[in-house]
Amino acid sequence: MQLELKDVSFTYNPGMIYEVKALDHVNLAIEKGQFIGVIGHTGSGKSTLIQHFNALMKPTEGQILYEGEDIWGDKYDQKTLRTQVGLVFQYPEHQLFETDVITDVMFGPKNQGLSLEEAKVRALRALVQVGLPEQYYNSSPFELSGGQKRRVAIAGVLAMDPQVLILDEPTAGLDPAGRDEILDQISFLHKERGITIILVSHSMEDVARYADRLIVVNDGKIPFDGTPKEVFSHYKELEAMGLAAPQVTYCMHGLQERGFDVDVTADTVEEARDSILKAFGRSVPAPEKEDNRPAGRREKSGRKGRR
Amino acid sequence: MGIVRAEGLKHEYTKYREDESEVKVHALNGVDLDVKEGEFIAILGHNGSGKSTLAKHINALLIPTEGTIWIDEIDTKGEEDLWKVRQRAGMVFQNPDNQIIGTVVDEDVAFGPENLGVPTEKIVKRVEEALTKVGMLKHRDKSPNRLSGGQKQRVAIAGVVAMRPRCIVLDEPTAMLDPTGRKDVLRTVHELNKKEGVTVILITHYMEEVVDADKVFVMDKGRIVMEGTPREVFSRVEEVKGYRMDVPQVTELAWELRKAGLDLPAGILKPEELVDALAALKQ
Ligand SMILES: Nc1ncnc2c1ncn2[C@@H]1O[C@H](COP(=O)(O)OP(=O)(O)OP(=O)(O)O)[C@@H](O)[C@H]1O
Ligand SMILES: Nc1ncnc2c1ncn2[C@@H]1O[C@H](COP(=O)(O)OP(=O)(O)OP(=O)(O)O)[C@@H](O)[C@H]1O
Ligand SMILES: [Mg+2]
Ligand SMILES: [Mg+2]
């Protein structure tokens, strides 16, 4: 097992009147190469949870293992851990501090002990991967638009070549094409290099499309953990937790109520389309060959629907 | 005459390089705009297209490099009228945590009217009214950090409402929210628009959030390049995508089904509409 949480609890300000129990006896096992979506209402504990994965936060109780080793053990090398388990913060401005973009992205690899030249090669590659136009490489990160800052923050982590990539709402504030580009790029890294991905998101459509496992966080606990289809079949319970199912899933339920013989577990546009066409006795279009090239290399005009 | 009107609005930012040379960024390249009082306008556009820059002009946080913008007939260039502009047009930003300053909800909402010099005895009433309108009155005594993201955003909206603006500009107010929080904020601004007649200008990257707007503007590189009702705009799926935008997921599904030969109308915007249209086809 790559990452394991054993009975982990975390309390902010323990013993004070404003103490908050943010994680409540959480158990999780994450295998190498999984693509995991993490969903939950605002304040449910998602950010707290993922900051435990690379030892940015120390559990009040319980144990965290990376490749079988206790990351809070005596001689454990947390510095190396943080380069292997890369975390992109929820608010990119918390992650940007250098005077220009390229130096900012070079920070991680330099910190890993790479030479300036090597660090620069890594940084340039990462900036291409996140699709930031070259004209901004020498800009101050603080002069960028919201979406541009987000890309720089992601590049900073990618440049460290992590084994596990954790992204805390990486597409919040990105335009739809940017969201597709970033998620396609992440999905490419996942497939091509077998990187484990942990994606925190408020977009049910995005996690349905990309993740093979969904973890639901609710008040510091994990009420559901399964494939997106399993989890979204509980959509009524999810709604009570501030969540929802993807929009097309609601269409499918609506159609079933009107007597259509459709697959109510469909949670992407393609699945919903195929199931509806079948119900109408139409032939289903052949699946398009999957495009495995990184997002930046695709023809712009050919951008396919995201879901 | 519209409540927000712009003619040939341009904005240039100046950036300074380390060698002290200047670089100009043309963030707005000639925007013409005429928003009628009481309208609900949504603005879409790629990252860096100039949405926030435009929003800041409506609130006189920025002054045009060229062209003119009038808020309720007041030219924002007149410095003496600055507070009049700010009172007429309120702003709500993306991150709820950065806009809430009070330690108690009540206190936070009172901050705006206090700044406007509203007498203390009237403030209490205004705060109550504002919190009622966003459905947060029962939380008035709470500390804001005990609230969910969606609740915090509604408090931020109440803070603006308490200043009784004629127009509210919301710059990605739902970007950090869960699905329920998003719905609550959207419902709240629609109610303000319908019941109080407040003009709403909503900036968002969530296509599903604009389907009930009166009009949608799409921005591209500092210009408005598409304008129409949500149905008009989202019927042009390919054009919309060309501007780095998208359509709601159900619109995409309907479009895919049309391409596969089902005889559906263009520009379906909501799940119910698709279900009805498909049911009608079956008969
Ligand atoms: N530094 C802190 N001090 C005290 N309480 C905190 C702190 N950070 C978070 N909390 C509280 O811990 C709980 C979990 O917060 P967390 O940030 O993990 O939620 P989240 O699921 O990431 O929410 P969001 O979707 O808004 O990002 C919340 O009740 C929050 O108010
Ligand atoms: N303070 C600033 N100094 C220099 N350039 C700026 C500044 N703020 C924004 N810009 C630039 O102006 C352009 C428009 O930015 P703006 O923030 O208006 O975009 P936006 O449409 O709101 O984007 P987003 O969807 O990412 O929030 C961008 O190219 C951006 O880099
Ligand atoms: Mg969070
Ligand atoms: Mg913006």
Side-chain angles (χ1 to χ4, degrees), chain B residues 58-153:
Chain B
I58 297 173
N59 195 244
L61 289 170
L62 292 175
I63 302 300
T65 312
E66 252 180 72
T68 310
I69 180 163
W70 296 268
I71 310 304
D72 195 19
E73 295 303 303
I74 307 168
D75 184 340
T76 62
K77 274 195 211 95
E79 271 175 41
E80 61 289 2
D81 291 331
L82 211 62
W83 67 272
K84 279 197 204 157
V85 172
R86 301 239 167 101
Q87 191 189 0
R88 281 168 174 74
M91 280 274 270
V92 176
F93 298 95
Q94 184 181 78
N95 185 343
D97 295 312
N98 296 349
Q99 344 179 26
I100 295 194
I101 25 190
T103 52
V104 181
V105 167
D106 250 352
E107 193 182 288
D108 188 81
V109 177
F111 195 73
E114 265 166 22
N115 257 6
L116 289 179
V118 176
T120 318
E121 62 279 8
K122 290 199 176 146
I123 287 182
V124 180
K125 198 166 153 270
R126 279 212 189 186
V127 169
E128 274 177 15
E129 262 176 30
L131 284 171
T132 307
K133 284 175 191 164
V134 303
M136 287 293 292
L137 190 66
K138 60 177 181 291
H139 300 285
R140 62 187 300 176
D141 298 322
K142 280 198 188 156
S143 150
N145 54 33
R146 292 266 153 186
L147 301 175
S148 73
Q151 290 173 327
K152 281 185 207 163
Q153 277 306 47

Side-chain angles (χ1 to χ4, degrees), chain B residues 230-265:
Chain B
R231 208 175 298 283
E232 285 162 1
V233 169
F234 288 142
S235 300
R236 287 137 71 184
V237 178
E238 269 150 350
E239 190 182 345
V240 167
K241 289 191 179 193
Y243 290 121
R244 302 182 59 83
M245 292 294 102
D246 208 346
V247 297
Q249 197 182 33
V250 60
T251 309
E252 171 110 23
L253 173 57
W255 183 64
E256 287 278 332
L257 290 170
R258 262 165 68 101
K259 279 200 298 187
L262 292 189
D263 185 20
L264 291 167

Side-chain angles (χ1 to χ4, degrees), chain A residues 136 143-148 173, chain B residues 13 15 25 27 45-53 172 205:
Chain A
Y136 297 108
E143 290 170 345
L144 301 175
S145 81
Q148 294 163 339
Chain B
Y13 290 101
K15 299 198 287 192
V25 180
H46 63 83
N47 291 133
S49 60
K51 302 178 299 297
S52 297
T53 305
E172 299 190 46
H205 287 303

